[in-house]
Amino acid sequence: MAGTRTKNVCGARVAARGLVRALATGAAAGAVLVATAGCSGSAGASSAAPAPAAKRTMDPAALTGLHDLLPVTGLLFTPQSRGARAQQKVAVACMAERGYRYAPAAPVADTGADGAPAEERPQPFGLESSAPPRPAATAAPEKPPRPGSPESTDAYAQALFGRESARVSTKGLRLGVSRPGEGCLAEAEKRLLGDGRMRWLQVRIMLFEAQQQARGDVEKDPAFQAATTRWRACMDRAKVKAQDPVAVLNSLRSADDRRTSPVAAADLRCKAETGYLTTAYQRLAVAQQHWLDGHPAVGADWKKLSDRQNKEADKVLRTTAG
């Protein structure tokens, strides 16, 4: 959403666009991590014979089931396009009252034309198939204002964003975000979330950071460590030297490598043969739930604010467009 500023002060590899969408009030489609576990080193993998087609990957439905195990990630990926549409409608009306025409790009839908999620959830354990990653869904770019038009003036920008000095900020342990404190964008967010607007943003930051923390914590889990040992032994038999699946992913430079690299094929086959992804996701789910259990106010506030946003969005979207 326009008006969000972020500051990433940790070492995780995060898409700036995805980070904004993960944290922006209402308009966020979910947390998007390029690699939740992206601190691993390179694979250092040697060449290997191509893996046989059998057991090369898990069934897509089984993978979806594993993704759905993660409670923190599930909260971050709760559909939000309804709230985004409502906010845009409120902002458009607000700007019209001030004599301006505000025409934002339509928010990204929660699902694509094929009914699949508009953006894939994070895949924190490296490759899960040889298919290229699903392109991230992005909103159409807004047209720049015509020079000399009312939309190109400072008065228009102040009506939409408010004064720079009025911006409000919130932060988690490592990430800070600021939002407009006045102007039509702020009014739209307040319409849906009331005085819980900044808490909503803070909760999303905390969930985003919890996702990273849980991925780090699972490295110390004995069952996960045993799964990695099994995977590494399988890779050794395939004559591939790699520390872990994330290192393999980091060693692949292109979508073509994912499809044709014998290292990628060995990685996927060993994951399937050893049950690596099943164990990894199950243990990550436990780590995420442990974080939620230790921060009960986060889950409770997320539900309360999400319910309010959806209720107010329904009211806004039922009214006559204007």
Side-chain angles (χ1 to χ4, degrees):
M1 175 181 289
T4 298
R5 295 182 178 179
T6 64
K7 177 176 61 179
N8 186 11
V9 291
C10 68
R13 297 171 185 171
V14 178
R17 171 198 50 75
L19 193 54
V20 170
R21 291 183 59 201
L23 299 174
T25 312
V32 185
L33 295 178
V34 174
T36 307
C39 296
S40 294
S42 62
S46 63
S47 60
K55 293 186 177 181
R56 183 168 290 187
T57 61
M58 288 186 66
D59 178 75
L63 286 171
T64 298
L66 292 179
H67 296 164
D68 289 344
L69 291 175
L70 306 182
V72 170
T73 304
L75 294 180
L76 283 170
F77 274 74
T78 300
Q80 300 293 339
S81 63
R82 182 171 49 169
R85 292 196 307 273
Q87 283 190 21
Q88 284 193 348
K89 185 174 180 180
V90 173
V92 167
C94 173
M95 290 295 283
E97 290 175 359
R98 302 184 186 197
Y100 297 108
R101 181 179 180 274
Y102 175 49
V108 174
D110 293 322
T111 59
D114 58 358
E119 271 188 281
E120 290 182 342
R121 295 190 181 201
Q123 296 182 4
F125 302 107
L127 289 176
E128 296 184 2
S129 81
S130 58
R134 183 183 177 88
T138 56
E142 295 185 12
K143 295 180 180 179
R146 180 171 48 83
S149 66
E151 292 75 24
S152 68
T153 64
D154 290 342
Y156 175 91
Q158 185 160 314
L160 185 61
F161 298 106
R163 295 167 298 165
E164 184 70 19
S165 61
R167 292 184 72 90
V168 293
S169 301
T170 189
K171 62 181 181 179
L173 294 176
R174 296 173 297 277
L175 182 71
V177 179
S178 72
R179 299 287 297 146
E182 60 183 21
C184 286
L185 291 182
E187 290 303 315
E189 292 179 357
K190 292 174 185 176
R191 172 69 173 81
L192 267 69
L193 291 165
D195 59 7
R197 173 186 177 223
M198 296 310 294
R199 177 57 178 168
W200 170 257
L201 192 59
Q202 184 182 49
V203 163
R204 295 190 70 80
I205 291 173
M206 293 176 72
L207 290 172
F208 182 86
E209 292 183 340
Q211 193 172 230
Q212 294 176 291
Q213 180 182 320
R215 179 58 183 89
D217 289 346
V218 82
E219 289 288 340
K220 296 171 283 193
D221 182 275
F224 176 74
Q225 291 175 340
T228 302
T229 298
R230 293 194 302 272
W231 172 89
R232 196 176 295 134
C234 177
M235 295 290 279
D236 286 344
R237 292 192 295 274
K239 302 191 185 310
V240 178
K241 296 295 183 184
Q243 181 65 25
D244 58 38
V246 175
V248 170
L249 177 61
N250 290 342
S251 74
L252 303 174
R253 303 303 179 190
S254 67
D256 189 58
D257 284 346
R258 292 170 64 111
R259 258 189 338 268
T260 63
S261 166
V263 174
D267 170 39
L268 291 170
R269 177 174 58 81
C270 286
K271 283 174 175 167
E273 287 186 0
T274 64
Y276 175 85
L277 289 175
T278 298
T279 299
Y281 273 104
Q282 288 174 346
R283 302 316 298 167
L284 182 58
V286 170
Q288 289 194 2
Q289 187 60 54
H290 178 73
W291 187 94
L292 287 174
D293 291 344
H295 301 79
V298 173
D301 287 353
W302 182 91
K303 184 180 187 308
K304 179 176 67 176
L305 292 168
S306 182
D307 288 347
R308 177 194 164 114
Q309 178 180 244
N310 290 335
K311 181 179 178 180
E312 295 301 320
D314 286 343
K315 292 179 182 177
V316 169
L317 296 175
R318 279 200 301 266
T319 62
T320 304

